[in-house]
Amino acid sequence: MKIITYIGRHKSNMSTSDSNCKDGTSSKSSYDLCDMNNMLQNMSTDDNNISVCANCGKGENESHKLKHCKACKMVKYCNRECQIAHRPQHKKECKRRAAELHDEKLFKQPPPADDCPICFMRLPTLHTGSRYQTCCGKVVCSGCCYAPVYDNQGNEVDNQKCPFCRAPHVIGDEFLERLMKRVELDDANAIYTLGYYYREGMYGLPQDYAKALELYHRTGELGCSEAYSNIGYAYQNGEGVDVDKKKAVHNFELAAMAGDVEARHNLGIKEARHAGNFDRAVRHFMISARDGKSDSVKCIQDMYSDGQATKDDYTKALKLYQSYLGEIKSDQRDKAATADEENRYY
């Protein structure tokens, strides 16, 4: 059973004579208990459906809609005036609950990466473990990109084609033209790639931090976690924008929540080394270890050696990382990694 805590003022029009509450409870001179009983009956046990203003106690109906406190979602108000009037009473609890809601989102394990469309195994986190194909928009693991291709007679054939759609590889202007077609289709990976090229001034494009940020924001809204990480670096280093540490951290957190393992690991570093919040650091490192960041396991090992993490923490991190390896390892990917360091996937 959920218990509701009501925070606010309520003015009563009841007299001090005997009266009955809606549930039949009798009250003489004290209206507080009766009012509270009546108020609780008007309030849903769902936090999102509180039906009275936390400041004036006015109920919600079809003609009088209330709005949640945007920060904590715990209470509702008639209007901004009621919210301002109630702020002194609500401020402390609002900050506490808002921080709880933020951490619930921040430390939630993000969904795993997509599978390779050819071998159907989980794509590695390490960027060299997969390739984006501008022809069809697929992200294919390095193992499938490296794997030999045979014709109907079993003879090995030229593999200079996309391993998924078999379109020929192109370079230079043709490559950029193909990429732009994917951008026009709102392909998040293509938009991110184009943003990176503007940031670095590649493929004949001018180095343009502002354009890169515009593209990163666009692809971030489409679900590209790395885009938010790059926006964070832009604010951290002043690339195309003024240096703003708060905005940098905010975007690193968005990236981590969307599944960017580098951003998650760096948040753990920040909590451990700069803030001394070792419990929060361990929580970050656990998530990034589960998503394939071996450096996060090493950080927890170092924290264990320094007495900042427990043996159980280190054991759990090792198991999480081993579980990740079990999902991504294959003979073909090993062959690709052995043949070329650019195919390394863990």
Side-chain angles (χ1 to χ4, degrees):
M1 178 179 179
K2 184 178 286 187
I3 300 175
I4 295 178
T5 302
Y6 177 77
I7 304 173
R9 298 195 297 266
H10 182 71
K11 297 180 181 178
S12 174
N13 294 322
M14 296 179 61
S15 67
T16 56
S17 59
D18 289 1
S19 59
N20 290 322
C21 301
K22 291 180 181 179
D23 63 355
T25 304
S26 175
S27 174
K28 292 187 178 181
S29 60
S30 175
Y31 65 79
D32 292 330
L33 177 59
C34 183
D35 266 19
M36 185 58 69
N37 285 337
N38 291 341
M39 192 176 299
L40 288 174
Q41 289 190 37
N42 287 329
M43 296 171 65
S44 166
T45 55
D46 184 346
D47 288 343
N48 293 321
N49 291 309
I50 298 172
S51 58
V52 295
C53 175
N55 180 61
C56 67
K58 188 174 181 180
E60 182 176 61
N61 53 51
E62 292 183 2
S63 61
H64 180 245
K65 297 297 182 181
L66 303 176
K67 293 184 177 180
H68 272 114
C69 170
K70 292 182 179 180
C72 68
K73 312 295 183 184
M74 292 177 65
V75 294
K76 288 183 176 181
Y77 297 103
C78 297
N79 47 43
R80 181 169 175 77
E81 287 72 24
C82 273
Q83 185 170 7
I84 293 174
H86 189 245
R87 183 64 178 168
Q89 296 167 263
H90 181 54
K91 183 177 180 180
K92 183 176 180 180
E93 183 66 12
C94 181
K95 285 187 174 181
R96 181 196 66 78
R97 181 54 181 159
E100 286 181 352
L101 291 173
H102 175 73
D103 279 0
E104 286 175 11
K105 292 181 180 180
L106 180 61
F107 290 108
K108 183 178 180 181
Q109 180 74 44
D114 294 332
D115 295 337
C116 171
I118 297 177
C119 66
F120 301 109
M121 292 183 63
R122 178 178 176 177
L123 287 168
T125 298
L126 194 64
H127 72 277
T128 52
S130 60
R131 300 286 186 276
Y132 171 66
Q133 308 297 320
T134 56
C135 44
C136 55
K138 300 296 184 181
V139 179
V140 181
C141 78
S142 57
C144 289
C145 289
Y146 175 78
V149 177
Y150 302 93
D151 60 20
N152 294 335
Q153 285 72 44
N155 301 311
E156 188 171 342
V157 297
D158 178 25
N159 197 24
Q160 297 303 309
K161 295 181 179 180
C162 170
F164 185 82
C165 72
R166 307 306 299 154
H169 291 312
V170 294
I171 59 175
D173 292 342
E174 288 184 82
F175 172 81
L176 194 59
E177 182 180 350
R178 183 182 281 181
L179 179 68
M180 294 303 296
K181 289 180 179 179
R182 298 301 309 176
V183 170
E184 292 172 2
L185 294 173
D186 273 348
D187 183 326
N189 286 308
I191 299 169
Y192 172 81
T193 301
L194 184 61
Y196 179 78
Y197 291 164
Y198 270 110
R199 178 188 173 187
E200 301 298 324
M202 298 172 62
Y203 283 92
L205 298 172
Q207 187 174 46
D208 189 334
Y209 290 130
K211 182 65 176 179
L213 278 175
E214 177 189 333
L215 291 166
Y216 288 151
H217 278 290
R218 179 180 167 189
T219 190
E221 292 174 357
L222 293 172
C224 180
S225 60
E226 293 91 342
Y228 286 120
S229 192
N230 280 6
I231 295 171
Y233 286 122
Y235 278 110
Q236 179 174 282
N237 301 322
E239 296 178 350
V241 290
D242 293 333
V243 172
D244 190 321
K245 300 299 184 183
K246 288 185 178 180
K247 288 184 178 180
V249 171
H250 172 68
N251 280 283
F252 287 142
E253 289 182 342
L254 290 177
M257 289 187 283
D260 185 69
V261 68
E262 293 295 334
R264 176 71 68 179
H265 177 77
N266 289 337
L267 287 173
I269 294 291
K270 173 181 173 295
E271 293 288 2
R273 294 182 181 175
H274 304 298
N277 296 324
F278 300 115
D279 289 343
R280 293 176 66 85
V282 167
R283 294 175 71 183
H284 280 303
F285 289 144
M286 285 295 182
I287 295 173
S288 49
R290 175 65 185 88
D291 283 341
K293 186 66 174 176
S294 59
D295 289 345
S296 294
V297 181
K298 182 63 168 61
C299 284
I300 293 181
Q301 181 186 27
D302 292 341
M303 292 173 67
Y304 168 50
S305 299
D306 294 337
Q308 298 158 351
T310 67
K311 182 179 179 180
D312 287 342
D313 290 332
Y314 179 43
T315 301
K316 181 180 179 181
L318 282 172
K319 289 181 178 179
L320 289 173
Y321 183 66
Q322 288 298 324
S323 176
Y324 164 79
L325 291 181
E327 294 178 18
I328 67 163
K329 290 196 71 173
S330 75
D331 290 341
Q332 187 57 53
R333 291 178 180 181
D334 287 341
K335 290 178 181 178
T338 301
D340 191 335
E341 180 68 14
E342 286 298 313
N343 294 326
R344 187 169 65 90
Y345 67 105
Y346 71 92

